[in-house]
Amino acid sequence: MTQWQNTPQEHNGVMHNAYQTHHTMIDTHMAQYIAAETKRQQDHIELIASENFVSRDILMAAGSILTNKYAEGYPGKRYYGGCEHVDQVEQLAIERAKSLFGCAFANVQPHSGSQANQAVFLALLKPGDGILGMSMDAGGHLTHGAPVSLTGKWFNSVSYGVNPSSHRVDMDQVRDLAKKHRPKLMIVGASSYPRVLNFKEFRDIADEVGAFLLADVAHISGLIVTGHHPHPFPYAHVVTSTTHKTLRGPRGGIVLTNDEDLAKKINTAVFPGLQGGPLMHVIAAKGIAFQEASTQAFSKYIGAVCDNAVALASALSDLGYALVSGGTDNHLLVMDFSGSDLSGQTAQHALESVRITTNKNGVPSDQRSYVQTSGLRLGTPAITTRGFMVSDMEIIAQCIHQRLGNLDGPVDDLVKQVEQLCQKYPLN
Ligand SMILES: *Cc1c(COP(=O)(O)O)cnc(C)c1O
């Protein structure tokens, strides 16, 4: 057993399995679905790059009585009585977030990464203002100005892409677009970009055109706090993140800054601008995650996540698969099926039939629709939490290859191999 796994812990003399709590529920109908999902998480190889498995402490906090408490406002300035304990919960989460990211202000209330971004937009922009973010097929997120998102509808959104052959962010294009459109806000950050982002270069361009720079590190925050990716501070004016991806906390968002004036605007934007009562159970769980992420064990875990991603990428390359940008510097990689008969959608479904969970994804200059796509995104955060090692990546690559290379072939042997791997690294 590796030291970064979430091990089952003894509690009052019995082994308390964090992933079996549904056994004691009275609503057996709903419990049955939760039990089925528990089993799915245990029996499948989870390669969705944005997912992870939280610790027992985080699960307990997220399922705690804190869900009962209304606490609109901020610690010491609430609109409800009885907030003395939740004030301590939120203050501790804030202090830990600041210390983990080395910044002066943290808002831990956003219900999700998208709402964290919306708070920044509400704090800094007016409808019709210009924004410049990464396009979705290059790896950007919906909330960076995609036409279907509120951010694309209410703001004047322009997007940059990646170089068509290197698949790296095209900084010349970023500078040209920034100078031409003079956006009020530039966004650096992505959901399916396997390479390092250069925050300093973005800030230099933002300064040239007088824009704010938002770094949305939703995917890479775990890498950032452990030194496996350059830090967005001091370059970004504001940083947002989810807490449930590589950071391995509960589902939620945060907003960070070093600027007191911006911090005030952001707090007002989160509440009362966008949200009502904060989710105190989730905030407690976030606070635990920030503490866990500051440990040596977590640093080793993220190191292993990156090693596994590189190993998986090179095993797939060796088998002849094209990868966006040719490989990875972080926790994810994107298989590129452009020019082949296989679509991302078909690949995702084929792998699902042998219990390997992935998601279809656009690739740079994708010729297929958002439904079909030409890519498949794979990530190693979840399997590394279970204990999967570099030597297992070769086996996973082989399983993927056998399935994608023979879409009508039998699946029994492959399912058995996946079963064996899952049993070798049980999810407790
Ligand atoms: C996942 C993600 C988000 C949104 O997070 P949700 O919690 O799903 O709303 C925002 N930005 C980026 C870059 C992401 O990858």
Side-chain angles (χ1 to χ4, degrees):
M1 184 149 313
T2 44
Q3 56 184 307
W4 51 81
Q5 270 180 271
N6 297 311
T7 55
Q9 290 170 19
E10 199 171 64
H11 183 64
N12 289 340
V14 295
M15 288 302 275
H16 186 110
N17 187 329
Y19 284 83
Q20 300 293 344
T21 47
H22 55 272
H23 282 328
T24 52
M25 280 172 56
I26 289 168
D27 184 341
T28 53
H29 192 173
M30 192 59 88
Q32 162 195 334
Y33 297 145
I34 300 176
E37 170 61 12
T38 306
K39 188 157 165 24
R40 190 196 66 79
Q41 292 188 13
Q42 286 163 335
D43 291 352
H44 288 62
I45 293 180
E46 183 57 73
L47 294 180
I48 293 178
S50 47
E51 294 192 12
N52 215 325
F53 302 113
V54 299
S55 71
R56 174 175 173 272
D57 273 16
I58 290 173
L59 215 45
M60 285 180 74
S64 73
I65 50 79
L66 292 174
T67 195
N68 299 334
K69 188 70 196 100
Y70 244 112
E72 280 183 0
Y74 290 100
K77 292 166 281 184
R78 305 287 190 185
Y79 291 83
Y80 289 83
C83 286
E84 62 270 31
H85 304 300
V86 293
D87 272 5
Q88 292 175 314
V89 166
E90 184 165 347
Q91 199 56 50
L92 183 58
I94 290 170
E95 293 310 323
R96 286 177 173 178
K98 282 160 41 178
S99 130
L100 183 65
F101 287 90
C103 62
F105 301 95
N107 187 308
V108 297
Q109 291 193 1
H111 300 333
S112 72
S114 294
Q115 284 193 306
N117 285 346
Q118 283 157 13
V120 176
F121 284 52
L122 182 60
L124 301 182
L125 305 175
K126 300 226 171 340
D129 279 349
I131 59 173
L132 177 61
M134 191 190 271
S135 71
M136 280 194 54
D137 69 349
H141 189 259
L142 276 170
T143 55
H144 298 180
V148 293
S149 154
L150 173 149
T151 57
K153 292 181 198 291
W154 289 7
F155 301 101
N156 202 343
S157 165
V158 176
S159 30
Y160 57 87
V162 291
N163 178 292
S165 54
S166 71
H167 297 160
R168 307 299 212 273
V169 176
D170 184 342
M171 294 308 299
D172 292 335
Q173 188 198 20
V174 175
R175 178 173 276 105
D176 289 347
L177 289 172
K179 284 186 164 160
K180 180 162 171 217
H181 298 281
R182 318 281 304 181
K184 189 127 182 243
L185 177 73
M186 288 174 51
I187 308 159
V188 51
S191 300
S192 56
Y193 185 70
R195 297 298 180 177
V196 173
L197 293 164
N198 190 329
F199 298 119
K200 181 177 185 312
E201 272 190 80
F202 271 91
R203 175 58 186 262
D204 289 344
I205 296 171
D207 283 346
E208 281 175 45
V209 301
F212 285 112
L213 180 64
L214 163 63
D216 175 356
V217 299
H219 259 267
I220 52 174
S221 47
L223 281 68
I224 285 166
V225 300
T226 56
H228 291 83
H229 187 286
H231 210 288
F233 288 128
Y235 305 113
H237 295 95
V238 186
V239 173
T240 55
S241 182
T242 58
T243 47
H244 49 274
K245 296 178 182 173
T246 54
L247 207 51
R248 207 166 68 181
R251 195 156 290 281
I254 45 173
V255 188
L256 311 164
T257 185
N258 280 312
D259 182 315
E260 187 170 2
D261 181 48
L262 289 184
K264 281 187 187 144
K265 287 182 177 155
I266 287 160
N267 282 350
T268 309
V270 174
F271 174 84
L274 281 175
Q275 297 185 172
L279 310 175
M280 292 314 308
H281 52 306
V282 178
I283 289 173
K286 285 173 182 172
I288 296 169
F290 301 145
Q291 165 60 27
E292 289 180 1
S294 70
T295 60
Q296 198 62 38
F298 189 80
S299 279
K300 286 191 176 168
Y301 157 69
I302 293 290
V305 166
C306 297
D307 290 347
N308 280 343
V310 167
L312 186 57
S314 62
L316 288 167
S317 284
D318 289 349
L319 290 166
Y321 291 97
L323 303 176
V324 170
S325 83
T328 180
D329 295 325
N330 59 24
H331 63 295
L332 67 82
L333 48 129
V334 183
M335 297 177 75
D336 186 349
F337 307 125
S338 304
S340 100
D341 288 343
L342 199 58
S343 70
Q345 186 183 33
T346 306
Q348 178 192 316
H349 289 146
L351 292 176
E352 196 143 34
S353 69
V354 296
R355 302 189 190 167
I356 295 175
T357 317
T358 62
N359 67 277
K360 63 185 176 184
N361 210 99
V363 298
S365 340
D366 206 321
Q367 300 297 306
R368 292 187 172 93
S369 69
Y370 280 120
V371 177
Q372 286 208 325
T373 79
S374 298
L376 194 70
R377 189 182 65 163
L378 312 178
T380 52
I383 53 171
T384 307
T385 293
R386 290 182 75 149
F388 281 65
M389 293 184 289
V390 161
S391 53
D392 302 305
M393 297 307 112
E394 173 75 26
I395 305 173
I396 293 179
Q398 282 292 347
C399 290
I400 290 173
H401 179 53
Q402 283 174 37
R403 187 72 194 107
L404 298 187
N406 189 5
L407 291 176
D408 303 318
V411 298
D412 291 1
D413 279 357
L414 284 173
V415 170
K416 215 167 271 158
Q417 278 190 60
V418 168
E419 235 168 34
Q420 275 168 7
L421 272 177
C422 290
Q423 280 163 8
K424 186 171 163 196
Y425 303 108
L427 176 60
N428 291 305

